Amino acid sequence: MKIFKILFIYILCLLILVTGCSTETTTGGIKDIQLQQDEPIQAAFTSSLLPDMKGIMENENLQLYINDQTAEIAVLDKRSGNVWRSNPVDRDSDPVASGEKKDLLSAQLIVDFNNEFGQLNQTNSYVDSVAREQVDFELLPDGIKVYYKFGTVKKTLEDLPKLISKERFEEKILSKTDDKTLLRALRFAYREDKNEGVYVRNDGLSGALLNRTIEAFELAGYTEEDLIYDLQEQGLSQTRPEHRVFIVTIEYRLDNDSLVVKVPVEEIQYTKEYPIYELGVLSFFGAGGPDEKGALFVPDGSGALIYFNNGKAKYPPYRQDVYGRDLTVADMESFIKGEKARMPVFGIIKDKSAMLGIIEEGAAIAAINADVGGRENSYNYVYPSFYVVNKDNVELVSEDKKRTFPRYQRDPMQTDYVVRYVFLNDEDASYEGMAKYYQQYLIQNNMLKENQRNADDNTPFYLELIGNISTRKHFVGVPYRALEPMTTFEQAKLILSEIKDQNIDNIKLKYSGWFNGGLYHRVPKSISVDRTIGGKSGLSNFIKYVEEEGISLYPDVALLRVYNTAGLGFNVITGAARRLMEIPAAVFPFDYALNERDNDRTPSYVLSPRLVEGYVSGMLNSVSKLGLKGLSLRDLADELNSDYRKNKQIDRTESEQISINALEDINQRDLDIMARGGNAYTWQYVSHITHAPLGTSNFKIEDEEIPFYQMVVRGFIEYTGAPYNLSTYTNYRQYVLRCLEYGSNVHFVWCYEANEKVKDTYFEYLYSINYKEWLEPARDIYHEVNDVLKQVNNQGIISHEKLEEGVYKTVYENGVYVIVNYNPEPVSVEGIDVGAEDYYVGGGNNES
């Protein structure tokens, strides 16, 4: 026991040393800014709509105003006369907000930071900067830059020398102090040591006496240089505590119809004792008041609306990380069901005016936040926040003790935070107008490409076939892992032949579990086609078959997650991404029955992004030899993770660029790309998206699901949702209606073998995939959906409207429209009768 305790203390000390050094290369001292508020900003123009502000910049569409006393800004839209303010104009009279919550209404920045104990704290630019008169301005050619200094450098006992020579103390301090109160304080603070010829500081000095002593030194003109001189003269070193001070700047620039807001990351300053965790930017920009009608747009899944003042303040506010969670940072014990935020956008819709926010830089480390009036204040607002320095906790546990230490990422994020705010009016002031603008923005920036499908094609039928899965078997009582073929290449031909017999056309086939050990395959540095499903020759024959039958083949590959660590291709220690705790990022399967992670099962590992390029290169070399023309990417468009390996950190923005480079490499090989999930940065490279969001996470604060995602990509990318036979739809009618409302194609996942083959394996989630059970329902669903959507091939969605509860109208580019009724009873809308769980198609050639 004694040895154990000694070992525990040794490890504890070592851990303190390691965790204490984890932020050595982050910003050290604060380089102060020179505040020059003596010369106020001169107004270039004024407006009666903004009497408290000064106009500083304008273009053909917009005017930018600022209040140089509060640092709040406003944008006047010259086209409509609408005003968008960074902070509510009537915030002082808000009956709901009080104390710190009322102060937040006046802030442009919210700073979440960790203190020296790793505890999360919050401050804001109003309380900690503006109220202290620590804000400055710099005019730019097309806007203005605002400097915020948070906190104050309050002097402490350590700003006074421990020892000072008799001559210097009497000459530099006592002789220059006339105030009797301050003289008494000095006599108490320092006693003379006649033997050494010095004055010695009273280390018990505190409170009023300490403040008076500091005041006396300041009035005497005692400087930092004096302190250094005295310490050196006496041969002393003296450590002063770091002050909690931050410096952050915001740049505001007008660009055509937009306000571009930038927080330069290189100008964010903090001390290693107080690292900034997250920055919230313009949290109340354009906020809706308690008497206004409107909605917040958030990018949950396909898109959601949160109505102003919806009475849902009792539910948690909305918050989602853009592109989903980082698996090297997220709590691996938890599991969040629902959709991801796949688009870096958000917005506010009001009467005849709207504002769309597009995160141009820093989206990979951003979160979207939204809330309604009635919780902390009376306003309805949505805004982005950005991670700066992530933190994790290291736990050390002995028999009777448990200690937790903070561990921070070594370097801050390597990107600026840039948000473009677009102002829309009249008929464009809607989520349809936002989607149209975002689509055109992506086209202009080469982030969407035209769909090459012929207008008279039948709609795609998306089918995933499962090849091999791994199972546990026994030989003379000894367990071992073996491959279990669920669909061989020859069996796949039989399935496809039967599908063709059902007049199902334009098949897009994803083949999963075909190489390197099945569905949970080894890393794809090289590819070996599994012999249990036919091997390389079987694949070659299968490729010839699908080409003759006009079927598009997309063999599936996982590139960012390692499910099988067997063989020589991957080493967990060197190849897995590291969490902040310096351990490999393992992801254990989720047990839906127990609603928790199953730590007894084999985990998958997050691949370090630094290996992605090499793996993609090796995979492409192998693919080129197989004669493939398409590829399905299981995770490259779906996940985005960091790597916190010591001295080799890759943050999420750098990881995003690595994924983009990989997609570019694949695209350069003329491979047609099908991808799961479809994060926005992948859209310029992919032709097909599976598991596209056809709804939201159903957060309780949300009021309405909208097909914003579909309104942006339809006509450019073919898409489908999760496979129907593994979905939560209660009947196929609901699925058909959602396909028609969202313009989505049909999707199934099948195998040849019986469903029982997946029982007691890692693949029990594939509980109902035997093709024979689903062939006829698939035929009926496909033909019903195809009969409608064939009329709108390559046509975008230009309008979407909720007509009444459970009844929606979608209008396509060519004038064809669909009214769907999800209700169990018929409805009459716009003079049209629509049956229960049925639809009506109008416009185009459907009108008599």
Side-chain angles (χ1 to χ4, degrees):
M1 183 61 68
K2 184 176 180 181
I3 294 175
F4 178 82
K5 288 183 177 179
I6 293 172
L7 181 61
F8 173 77
I9 293 170
Y10 170 77
I11 296 173
L12 182 63
C13 294
L14 181 63
L15 190 56
I16 291 172
L17 178 63
V18 172
T19 56
C21 293
S22 63
T23 57
E24 276 298 316
T25 60
T26 62
T27 306
I30 297 292
K31 184 179 179 181
D32 208 353
I33 55 174
Q34 299 300 315
L35 302 176
Q36 302 290 339
Q37 291 199 86
D38 293 339
E39 298 181 9
I41 295 174
Q42 298 300 313
F45 49 85
T46 59
S47 170
S48 58
L49 296 173
L50 294 160
D52 58 330
M53 292 195 170
K54 300 175 181 179
I56 53 172
M57 192 62 56
E58 69 177 321
N59 61 21
E60 183 180 348
N61 300 306
L62 307 173
Q63 289 181 334
L64 176 62
Y65 291 79
I66 195 162
N67 184 322
D68 56 5
Q69 300 302 307
T70 64
E72 59 188 303
I73 61 107
V75 174
L76 173 61
D77 191 332
K78 295 161 66 174
R79 300 163 298 180
S80 63
N82 292 321
V83 173
W84 296 88
R85 302 182 67 120
S86 63
N87 303 87
V89 66
D90 55 352
R91 58 188 180 273
D92 290 339
S93 59
D94 182 8
V96 177
S98 61
E100 294 179 357
K101 303 306 180 184
K102 178 157 285 190
D103 292 335
L104 273 176
L105 296 173
S106 298
Q108 293 82 47
L109 288 171
I110 300 173
V111 179
D112 289 335
F113 65 94
N114 288 288
N115 63 20
E116 63 267 39
F117 304 108
Q119 299 164 328
L120 194 63
N121 294 262
Q122 186 180 94
T123 187
N124 64 75
S125 59
Y126 174 72
V127 168
D128 225 13
S129 184
V130 173
R132 296 180 187 273
E133 298 184 352
Q134 296 178 164
V135 62
D136 200 11
F137 308 92
E138 177 188 349
L139 289 175
L140 304 173
D142 50 358
I144 192 168
K145 186 172 187 175
V146 184
Y147 296 80
Y148 296 93
K149 179 180 178 181
F150 293 76
T152 183
V153 180
K154 185 178 180 181
K155 290 189 175 181
T156 68
L157 181 66
E158 298 306 317
D159 290 284
L160 303 174
K162 292 181 180 179
L163 299 177
I164 182 172
S165 69
K166 180 178 185 298
E167 293 79 13
R168 281 179 58 80
F169 186 68
E170 292 176 351
E171 176 188 343
K172 294 194 69 68
I173 308 299
L174 292 179
S175 66
K176 297 179 181 180
T177 305
D178 298 324
D179 188 287
K180 292 181 180 180
T181 302
L182 297 183
L183 277 170
R184 283 196 298 270
L186 287 170
R187 294 298 184 188
F188 184 85
Y190 282 87
R191 65 174 178 83
E192 183 181 0
D193 185 336
K194 294 183 179 181
N195 293 329
E196 299 295 332
V198 297
Y199 278 83
V200 181
R201 188 184 71 193
N202 176 5
D203 286 345
L205 201 62
S206 63
L209 282 171
L210 172 61
N211 293 334
R212 290 180 188 135
T213 304
I214 292 173
E215 182 183 356
F217 270 71
E218 289 178 339
L219 291 174
Y222 191 81
T223 65
E224 177 83 10
E225 290 74 20
D226 288 320
L227 177 62
I228 294 171
Y229 178 88
D230 288 325
L231 293 175
Q232 290 176 346
E233 184 179 52
Q234 302 302 323
L236 298 173
S237 62
Q238 193 165 305
T239 303
R240 289 177 294 168
E242 289 286 357
H243 301 285
R244 201 274 290 155
V245 176
F246 311 123
I247 291 177
V248 184
T249 63
I250 302 183
E251 298 174 5
Y252 301 100
R253 287 184 167 89
L254 295 182
D255 181 21
N256 193 14
D257 56 357
S258 308
L259 173 71
V260 179
V261 178
K262 176 180 178 180
V263 178
V265 71
E266 289 186 353
E267 297 181 14
I268 298 174
Q269 296 187 52
Y270 55 89
T271 60
K272 66 180 182 180
E273 285 79 9
Y274 297 95
I276 296 176
Y277 172 64
E278 187 174 12
L279 278 179
V281 179
L282 297 182
S283 52
F284 294 99
F285 194 18
D291 299 319
E292 286 188 89
K293 291 185 178 180
L296 308 173
F297 159 62
V298 294
D300 177 17
S302 63
L305 297 181
I306 302 173
Y307 299 153
F308 286 2
N309 310 303
N310 61 8
K312 296 184 178 181
K314 62 183 177 181
Y315 299 123
Y318 170 86
R319 178 182 171 89
Q320 276 188 303
D321 288 347
V322 177
Y323 306 141
R325 300 189 304 164
D326 184 338
L327 296 177
T328 64
V329 176
D331 177 10
M332 288 297 94
E333 293 302 316
S334 66
F335 179 79
I336 300 176
K337 296 180 181 180
E339 299 288 352
K340 295 180 181 179
R342 299 198 179 275
M343 304 169 287
V345 292
F346 58 94
I348 296 176
I349 303 169
K350 297 184 177 182
D351 183 27
K352 297 184 178 180
S353 66
M355 180 178 74
L356 170 66
I358 304 172
I359 302 176
E360 295 189 320
E361 296 182 44
I365 51 173
I368 306 298
N369 311 266
D371 205 356
V372 295
R375 186 194 315 276
E376 297 181 346
N377 54 66
S378 300
Y379 301 97
N380 307 273
Y381 53 97
V382 59
Y383 68 97
S385 57
F386 300 89
Y387 297 109
V388 181
V389 174
N390 276 310
K391 179 186 82 82
D392 208 339
N393 290 320
V394 180
E395 277 191 358
L396 189 62
V397 181
S398 70
E399 289 185 343
D400 56 351
K401 294 181 180 179
K402 179 170 139 179
R403 295 290 302 275
T404 300
F405 302 92
R407 175 95 179 182
Y408 302 104
Q409 72 179 68
R410 191 169 180 86
D411 301 309
M413 302 299 182
Q414 301 298 301
T415 182
D416 294 330
Y417 313 137
V418 180
V419 184
R420 178 179 295 271
Y421 293 91
V422 182
F423 306 99
L424 304 170
N425 300 299
D426 301 323
E427 64 272 8
D428 292 327
S430 61
Y431 61 84
E432 296 99 331
M434 289 180 175
K436 180 181 178 182
Y437 187 99
Y438 184 43
Q439 183 187 77
Q440 293 303 308
Y441 169 88
L442 294 171
I443 294 170
Q444 291 168 11
N445 288 278
N446 299 313
M447 298 173 73
L448 271 181
K449 62 181 181 180
E450 293 290 343
N451 192 332
Q452 301 300 315
R453 201 177 99 201
N454 294 326
D456 57 353
D457 285 348
N458 286 312
T459 59
F461 176 79
Y462 287 91
L463 175 65
E464 178 180 5
L465 289 179
I466 304 299
N468 278 321
I469 63 171
S470 58
T471 61
R472 181 184 292 270
K473 295 187 177 181
H474 294 80
F475 179 72
V476 293
V478 179
Y480 68 97
R481 306 297 301 179
L483 288 180
E484 182 72 47
M486 300 297 290
T487 311
T488 67
F489 292 129
E490 290 301 316
Q491 291 168 342
K493 291 180 186 179
L494 295 175
I495 294 174
L496 292 170
S497 175
E498 292 191 47
I499 293 174
K500 300 279 283 187
D501 289 343
Q502 302 296 325
N503 293 319
I504 295 176
D505 196 15
N506 199 6
I507 300 170
K508 306 298 180 184
L509 175 63
K510 178 196 295 189
Y511 208 117
S512 301
W514 61 282
F515 77 102
N516 288 17
L519 190 56
Y520 283 178
H521 59 73
R522 298 184 300 277
V523 292
K525 289 173 65 176
S526 61
I527 286 177
S528 175
V529 183
D530 293 337
R531 287 183 295 177
T532 47
I533 60 171
K536 185 176 180 180
S537 62
L539 174 61
S540 179
N541 291 331
F542 186 66
I543 292 172
K544 292 178 183 178
Y545 170 81
V546 295
E547 288 179 349
E548 291 172 358
E549 295 295 324
I551 297 168
S552 301
L553 175 63
Y554 302 87
D556 185 63
V557 181
L559 288 164
L560 302 185
R561 195 92 71 84
V562 180
Y563 296 92
N564 187 336
T565 60
L568 301 176
F570 179 78
N571 183 295
V572 172
I573 301 301
T574 58
R578 296 291 181 94
R579 294 175 63 86
L580 282 165
M581 295 182 293
E582 278 290 320
I583 61 174
V587 183
F588 288 89
F590 194 78
D591 189 324
Y592 291 93
L594 298 177
N595 198 37
E596 62 182 21
R597 296 280 179 188
D598 188 348
N599 294 332
D600 293 329
R601 289 174 55 179
T602 303
S604 61
Y605 290 92
V606 177
L607 181 70
S608 172
R610 64 187 167 84
L611 300 179
V612 169
E613 180 182 359
Y615 283 15
V616 168
S617 177
M619 180 268 295
L620 289 175
N621 290 336
S622 294
V623 164
S624 65
K625 298 173 184 177
L626 296 174
L628 297 172
K629 296 181 180 178
L631 205 61
S632 166
L633 304 176
R634 190 183 308 177
D635 48 24
L636 195 59
D638 185 49
E639 293 186 6
L640 199 56
N641 303 304
S642 306
D643 185 358
Y644 291 104
R645 185 178 299 272
K646 188 175 182 180
N647 299 323
K648 294 182 180 179
Q649 174 183 299
I650 299 174
D651 71 31
R652 213 170 181 225
T653 60
E654 296 168 308
S655 180
E656 177 186 6
Q657 189 57 53
I658 289 171
S659 291
I660 291 172
N661 293 343
L663 286 162
E664 180 66 34
D665 290 344
I666 297 169
N667 192 59
Q668 290 295 321
R669 299 292 187 100
D670 292 324
L671 288 167
D672 197 33
I673 299 175
M674 175 186 292
R676 178 184 177 120
N679 291 336
Y681 56 86
T682 70
W683 289 349
Q684 61 182 308
Y685 302 105
V686 303
S687 301
H688 306 270
I689 295 174
T690 67
H691 299 79
L694 299 186
T696 68
S697 305
N698 294 311
F699 295 126
K700 290 185 178 181
I701 197 171
E702 296 172 349
D703 293 292
E704 187 177 339
E705 296 178 330
I706 59 173
F708 190 96
Y709 186 102
Q710 287 71 21
M711 297 176 85
V712 175
V713 304
R714 196 170 206 283
F716 296 85
I717 304 171
E718 292 289 351
Y719 56 87
T720 185
Y724 169 68
N725 56 310
L726 295 181
S727 71
T728 57
Y729 289 98
T730 54
N731 64 61
Y732 88 94
R733 296 304 306 164
Q734 299 286 317
Y735 179 69
V736 168
L737 296 179
R738 183 49 59 104
C739 287
L740 299 182
E741 181 192 356
Y742 278 57
S744 174
N745 299 301
V746 175
H747 185 195
F748 283 83
V749 55
W750 291 344
C751 71
Y752 185 85
E753 298 294 341
N755 293 324
E756 288 75 17
K757 286 283 184 84
V758 302
K759 189 176 180 181
D760 298 325
T761 73
Y762 288 171
F763 306 96
E764 288 184 313
Y765 65 91
L766 300 172
Y767 54 87
S768 181
I769 61 172
N770 177 259
Y771 85 100
K772 291 184 181 294
E773 299 177 6
W774 293 103
L775 191 58
E776 289 187 8
R779 175 200 63 197
D780 296 341
I781 291 172
Y782 174 76
H783 286 303
E784 187 168 7
V785 171
N786 182 57
D787 287 345
V788 177
L789 294 188
K790 184 178 180 181
Q791 301 177 45
V792 292
N793 271 351
N794 292 339
Q795 300 295 306
I797 297 173
I798 62 171
S799 176
H800 178 265
E801 181 183 3
K802 181 178 181 180
L803 301 180
E804 59 181 67
E805 195 62 42
V807 183
Y808 299 87
K809 180 179 181 180
T810 303
V811 182
Y812 292 89
E813 232 172 342
N814 60 359
V816 173
Y817 66 88
V818 182
I819 299 175
V820 298
N821 174 24
Y822 291 96
N823 297 302
E825 59 278 329
V827 297
S828 181
V829 291
E830 297 186 346
I832 298 169
D833 294 327
V834 185
E837 294 188 318
D838 206 353
Y839 58 90
Y840 175 86
V841 182
N845 297 324
N846 297 284
E847 302 292 352
S848 57

